[in-house]
Amino acid sequence: MAHGRAPYGRRNTNDVATTTPDRHPLHRVYQGETYYHRPAIKSSHYGPLVAGYLFVGGLAGAAQLIASIADLSGRKRDRRTVRAGRFMAVAGALVSPVLLIADLHTPRRWFNMLRIFRRKSPMSIGSWTLLGFGTLSGLTAVAQALDDLTGIRLFRRLARWLGVPAAVAGGTMAMYTGTLLSSTSNPLWSSGERLLPALFGASAVSTATAALSLATSREASTARIERLHRLSLVAAGTELVLDWALKRRWRQQGVDTPLRQQPAAAAYHIGFWGLGLLVPLVVHGTSRLTHRRSQTASRLADLATLAGGYMLRSVLVSAGNASAQYPEDYFRVTQPREHVAPPPSHTPSLRRQCQEAVDALDGALDLPPRQLGREIDQVENTIVQIRDRLIEQLRHDGDSSVATRQRTALEHLNAALSLVTGIEYPAAGIQRSSIEEARDILVRVLEDNLLT
Amino acid sequence: MEMPQEAELTTGTRIEPGRSYGFFTDTTLCIGCKACEVACKEWNVLPADNIGLTGESYDNTGSLSATTWRHVTFVEQMRNDEGERATALQPFQSHWLMMSDVCKHCSPAPCLEACPTGALFRTEFDTVVVQQDICNGCGYCVPACPFGVIETHVPDGKAHKCTLCYDRLKGGLEPACAKVCPTDSIQFGELAALQERATQRVENLHAKGREDAYLYGVPGEPGATGGIEHLNAFFLLTDRPEVYNLPAAPTLPSTRVAPGMLTGLATVAGLALAAITIFAGGNKTR
C-alpha cells in the first residue's frame, strides 16, 4: 500500500517522524483508557463441567501413560499399578465425553466435532485425541481384563502393545487442555502460552499418581506405593516451579486481577498451592527422608493432591472468565511491541485515591480558571474511579457495618462529583467556593474513616 | 447483457463470487443515527433486546452479541486540540467519537481457526459465516475472538454473528447496514478499492488538519497485527483504539497452539523419563 506514511507495524522507534504525523494517537502510550469499562472481549461459558473434564481427562491420560511405563519397565512388581492405571484410563475416557457433550449448547450434534480435523484448533485436536485415547484405552482394558480372567500370555502382550499408542494419546490428553485455554484471546489464559500446558501436564501426572496410589493401597507392598509417591514428588516439584513461573508472568503482564480477589485467591493459593502442592510435597518428602511412612498421612496427601488438582482447573476456568471482563487487563496485553505499556501499578487504596483528589483540588485552588482543565478532569476521573470501586465492593459485601460506612462515603462522593462536574461544565462561570466545598467533602470522607 | 445488480447502482461494485468484499467504516462521517443497528436487526430478523438506558451517552446497546450485529459506540469528548477543557466548539466536527462496530471478518479469522466442527467457514465473498445447521454450540469461538464479537445464543444453542448479509450478497444487494447509512460512513465494496479509498480519505483529513486520523485493520496498521493480516471490515479512527473498545495490537490465538503443545509435550515427556527411572530402578529382585 503506497501512502507515504511509515507503516505502523514496522516503525523504527529511532526514526524521527518525517511523513508520519506526530498527532497519531498510537504515538501516545496507553494510559488505561477504556470504553466505559465495558469488556472488550467475551468470557467463555465454561464452568464445572469443563473444569471437571480438564481434571478427569488429564488424570485418565496420565494414568495410561504411567501404566505403560510401569509395564514396559518390565517388572512384575508393579502389576497392580499397571492394571489400575489401565482401568482408570478407560473409566476416565468414558466419563470425559459425557461431561463434554453435556456442556455443548446443542448436545445432539456432538458428532459434528468429527466432521473435520483442524490442526490449528486445540478443541479439534482434543476431540480426535479423546476419540483415539478412548478407543485405544478401551482395547487395552479389554486385553488386560482378558489376561486377568484367562491368564493367557497373548492377552498380556496385546495389552502391552496396545498400551503404547494409548499412552502416547494419554500424554497428549494430559496437557493439550492447557493449550486449549491459552489459544484464546483471554488475557489470563493467553499469558500462559507455554506455562499453562506444562502445568496441566505436570498436574495430570501428580493427580494420576495420587489416584493410583489411593486405588491400590489396600495391599501390603509398600515399595510399589513408594515408587508412585516418588513420581508424585517429582510431579509436584515440577508443578511448584511452573506455578511460580506462571504467577510471575501473570504479575508482569498485569492480568492477575481476578486471582487477587476472593474466593479465587483462596481457592488458588490455599486449595491448589497449599493442598495440591505443599501437602504432598511435605508428606511424601518427609516419609522419603525419614524412611517412615504413615499410611493415613499418605492417603490424606493423595486426597489433597486430587482436591488441589481440581481446584487448579476450576479456579483457572472461572478466573479466566472473570479476566475477560476487565478491559484494562486485555488492553494491557494487546499493546504493540514498540510501545511498552507502563507497568501496571497495583491499584492504590481508596483512601490514597481520595487523598490524591484532595491534593489535586488544592492545586486547582491556586490556578486561574483557564488552566483548570486538566486538574478538574483528573479529579473527576479519580472520584468516578473511587465511586465505581465502592459500588463494586458494595455489590459484593451487601450488608455489614462496613457497607453502611461505604454507603455514606458514596453519598459524599456523589455530592463532590456534582460540584466538580459543575466546575468542568460551568453554566455561570467557575465558583471558587465550589472547588473548596468539593475539597471539604472529600476531606470529611477521609477524616470520618469512611474508606478503606 | 448482464442484469445490473442493485449493488452496482448503490455502490458501484458488482458482487461476484471469488472476490474479497468488506466494509470501510469512516467514523468521521458517522452521525450516530443507529440506522445501521435497526436495518441489521430488521433484515436478519434479530430480536429487539437491550431495552433500557445504560447511562453511557447514547449507547444503549452496549456491545455486539449473538443478537446484535451492529453496535454504535458513543464517546463524548469535550477537549480541544491540546487536550484541555474546551471553551468553544471545534469548527470542524465536534470531538464526539461515534463508530458503528461490527464483526471484522478477519483474515485469517481467529473464530474460524478455533471452530472444531467447521461450522465457521470462509464464503466465496471472503467473508466469515457460521453455518447454523452445523454449529453445536461448543462455544470455543467466543473466547477466541480478539474483538469480542461472536457469542453463543443460549435459547437456540448456536453461535451467531454478522454474516455481512451473505444472503443479500448472493442476490446482488449490498449489506443492509451499508445501504441504509445516510452519510455513507459504512461503505461496502471490494476490499482493495475500499483500502485505496480509505488511504485517500486519511490523506485528505490530514491535509484538512485532522492529523489524528488513521486506519485500523489494514495491513501494517493497528488491528492487523500478531498474525491477523487484515480486517475485511476496517475502520478510520481518530483516537486510540481502546477508546472505541478495540485492542491496539490483537494477536491470532492459533499462533499459540504449536508452542503450547510442544512445551506441554516436553514437560510430559520429561516426567515420563522420571517415571521410567523410578519404575526401572531400585533393587533387582523381581
Side-chain angles (χ1 to χ4, degrees):
Chain A
M1 290 187 59
H3 53 85
R5 277 175 43 196
Y8 161 84
R10 300 193 296 279
R11 192 174 75 92
N12 183 344
T13 48
N14 291 327
D15 278 346
V16 172
T18 48
T19 51
T20 317
D22 59 2
R23 292 273 203 78
H24 195 303
L26 271 295
H27 292 185
R28 296 194 314 261
V29 181
Y30 176 56
Q31 299 271 348
E33 303 99 303
T34 63
Y35 180 72
Y36 305 109
H37 293 296
R38 281 199 171 258
I41 51 169
K42 295 203 169 7
S43 307
S44 73
H45 73 265
Y46 301 150
L49 283 171
V50 170
Y53 163 68
L54 299 181
F55 177 71
V56 168
L59 200 158
Q64 185 69 267
L65 181 65
I66 294 169
S68 282
I69 288 175
D71 191 26
L72 289 169
S73 306
R75 311 297 173 110
K76 283 185 200 162
R77 62 189 187 174
D78 288 309
R79 277 210 62 216
R80 282 215 58 171
T81 305
V82 174
R83 289 187 64 249
R86 287 185 175 147
F87 291 133
M88 210 175 274
V90 72
L94 287 170
V95 169
S96 295
V98 173
L99 293 169
L100 290 176
I101 293 173
D103 179 73
L104 292 175
H105 281 109
T106 310
R108 66 181 187 275
R109 290 187 186 166
W110 62 270
F111 47 81
N112 280 351
M113 295 302 207
L114 306 172
R115 276 183 82 241
I116 57 160
F117 171 66
R118 184 163 269 149
R119 66 183 166 85
K120 285 192 178 167
S121 166
M123 192 168 272
S124 185
I125 296 172
S127 303
W128 287 98
T129 305
L130 180 57
L131 180 69
F133 175 69
T135 315
L136 290 164
S137 294
L139 292 170
T140 312
V142 164
Q144 177 70 53
L146 286 170
D147 170 45
D148 291 341
L149 288 171
T150 65
I152 300 175
R153 288 205 64 138
L154 171 68
F155 291 131
R156 184 173 303 182
R157 244 181 274 144
L158 203 58
R160 177 169 296 171
W161 295 133
L162 283 168
V164 173
V168 172
T172 315
M173 286 282 293
M175 62 86 203
Y176 92 90
T177 45
T179 320
L180 183 85
L181 294 183
S182 71
S183 304
T184 58
S185 295
N186 189 291
L188 188 76
W189 293 341
S190 64
S191 304
E193 175 179 329
R194 289 174 200 265
L195 292 169
L196 214 50
L199 181 61
F200 275 29
S203 175
V205 171
S206 77
T207 49
T209 51
L212 284 170
S213 112
L214 271 175
T216 60
S217 68
R218 259 174 295 113
E219 51 114 85
S221 165
T222 56
R224 186 184 56 79
I225 300 285
E226 277 308 303
R227 278 190 284 281
L228 282 171
H229 286 157
R230 221 177 297 163
L231 183 56
S232 185
L233 267 175
V234 177
T238 314
E239 274 187 270
L240 201 67
V241 172
L242 289 169
D243 171 65
W244 169 83
L246 191 54
K247 283 208 280 268
R248 188 162 151 264
R249 179 148 175 88
W250 281 332
R251 247 195 327 265
Q252 281 172 345
Q253 299 276 84
V255 294
D256 60 342
T257 322
L259 285 172
R260 287 193 276 116
Q261 294 169 351
Q262 302 299 348
Y268 192 80
H269 295 110
I270 300 173
F272 162 57
W273 196 86
L275 277 181
L277 296 187
L278 212 56
V279 168
L281 275 170
V282 165
V283 170
H284 298 321
T286 336
S287 88
R288 185 144 163 74
L289 288 171
T290 62
H291 294 288
R292 268 201 307 254
R293 183 176 158 263
S294 153
Q295 205 180 42
T296 327
S298 298
R299 285 218 183 116
L300 285 173
D302 289 333
L303 281 168
T305 312
L306 289 172
Y310 178 72
M311 281 274 124
L312 168 68
R313 290 159 175 84
S314 172
V315 170
L316 276 179
V317 168
S318 61
N321 288 337
S323 87
Q325 302 296 311
Y326 294 102
E328 301 91 342
D329 289 6
Y330 179 59
F331 289 144
R332 211 178 283 125
V333 297
T334 51
Q335 290 303 311
R337 277 205 203 111
E338 288 99 34
H339 298 164
V340 177
S345 49
H346 286 292
T347 340
S349 70
L350 291 173
R351 285 194 62 91
R352 176 96 168 279
Q353 281 194 299
C354 195
Q355 186 62 50
E356 276 173 22
V358 170
D359 294 339
L361 283 170
D362 275 334
L365 284 169
D366 294 328
L367 290 172
R370 285 225 59 190
Q371 291 174 23
L372 278 178
R374 271 200 205 94
E375 271 73 27
I376 296 300
D377 210 23
Q378 186 196 330
V379 170
E380 199 184 7
N381 284 341
T382 310
I383 300 181
V384 168
Q385 272 179 44
I386 303 174
R387 196 184 63 166
D388 288 349
R389 287 172 67 190
L390 259 184
I391 291 172
E392 208 180 308
Q393 276 182 18
L394 271 170
R395 281 189 188 139
H396 251 283
D397 304 332
D399 40 21
S400 82
S401 60
V402 181
T404 326
R405 283 216 301 278
Q406 286 173 338
R407 283 206 184 85
T408 318
L410 200 54
E411 280 170 27
H412 287 315
L413 284 168
N414 281 331
L417 188 59
S418 296
L419 286 163
V420 170
T421 319
I423 301 165
E424 176 142 10
Y425 304 106
I430 296 173
Q431 305 293 338
R432 192 185 159 79
S433 58
S434 300
I435 305 178
E436 284 171 352
E437 212 180 315
R439 182 197 169 279
D440 289 341
I441 291 176
L442 292 176
V443 167
R444 207 178 325 143
V445 167
L446 284 171
E447 284 176 352
D448 289 348
N449 225 346
L450 296 174
L451 294 173
T452 47
Chain B
M1 189 181 89
E2 273 176 355
M3 271 263 290
Q5 293 177 342
E6 193 194 271
E8 280 183 286
L9 303 172
T10 59
T11 67
T13 321
R14 188 168 177 85
I15 301 175
E16 309 264 275
R19 301 217 184 118
S20 281
Y21 296 94
F23 287 131
F24 166 45
T25 305
D26 185 345
T27 64
T28 58
L29 296 174
C30 181
I31 55 171
C33 70
K34 304 186 200 173
C36 50
E37 287 195 25
V38 173
C40 173
K41 292 243 181 195
E42 282 193 340
W43 179 262
N44 295 295
V45 197
L46 296 171
D49 38 22
N50 308 115
I51 294 169
L53 302 174
T54 60
E56 292 164 5
S57 186
Y58 288 91
D59 180 359
N60 296 309
T61 308
S63 64
L64 291 171
S65 70
T67 52
T68 299
W69 303 348
R70 269 278 176 190
H71 158 231
V72 182
T73 62
F74 291 81
V75 183
E76 298 180 25
Q77 294 186 338
M78 296 296 271
R79 61 172 207 274
N80 63 13
D81 280 331
E82 275 76 52
E84 291 176 345
R85 182 169 55 84
T87 52
L89 283 177
Q90 291 287 99
F92 166 69
Q93 196 190 28
S94 72
H95 260 290
W96 280 42
L97 305 175
M98 294 170 288
M99 170 187 95
S100 182
D101 198 10
V102 72
C103 169
K104 320 297 186 287
H105 293 269
C106 319
S107 178
C111 59
L112 197 156
E113 294 193 332
C115 180
T117 61
L120 276 154
F121 78 110
R122 198 124 218 147
T123 68
E124 65 268 36
F125 304 113
D126 199 34
T127 58
V128 180
V129 167
V130 191
Q131 296 174 81
Q132 292 302 311
D133 48 354
I134 296 175
C135 177
N136 60 18
C138 77
Y140 193 48
C141 53
V142 177
C145 177
F147 305 102
V149 171
I150 194 167
E151 200 188 40
T152 46
H153 188 55
V154 177
D156 90 335
K158 330 263 184 331
H160 297 268
K161 71 171 190 69
C162 161
T163 60
L164 226 139
C165 283
Y166 190 25
D167 45 355
R168 287 177 68 99
L169 295 183
K170 279 198 187 270
L173 299 124
E174 63 168 326
C177 53
K179 177 155 187 203
V180 84
C181 180
T183 57
D184 253 353
S185 169
I186 302 174
Q187 296 166 35
F188 167 80
E190 266 193 71
L191 196 57
L194 287 177
Q195 286 172 341
E196 220 181 282
R197 200 187 304 163
T199 316
Q200 191 58 52
R201 171 69 178 161
V202 169
E203 276 174 21
N204 292 349
L205 284 171
H206 289 172
K208 284 190 180 138
R210 209 51 211 272
E211 288 178 350
D212 48 1
Y214 66 100
L215 293 178
Y216 179 89
V218 298
E221 298 288 326
T225 53
I228 302 171
E229 281 157 31
H230 62 265
L231 306 178
N232 277 33
F234 63 100
F235 300 83
L236 190 155
L237 306 177
T238 59
D239 201 336
R240 280 202 69 100
E242 294 86 355
V243 173
Y244 299 88
N245 218 7
L246 297 168
T251 55
L252 191 64
S254 65
T255 55
R256 292 189 264 287
V257 175
M261 294 292 286
L262 288 172
T263 318
L265 279 170
T267 312
V268 172
L271 287 170
L273 273 172
I276 293 172
T277 320
I278 291 170
F279 285 106
N283 53 31
K284 300 237 187 341
T285 52
R286 286 192 167 246

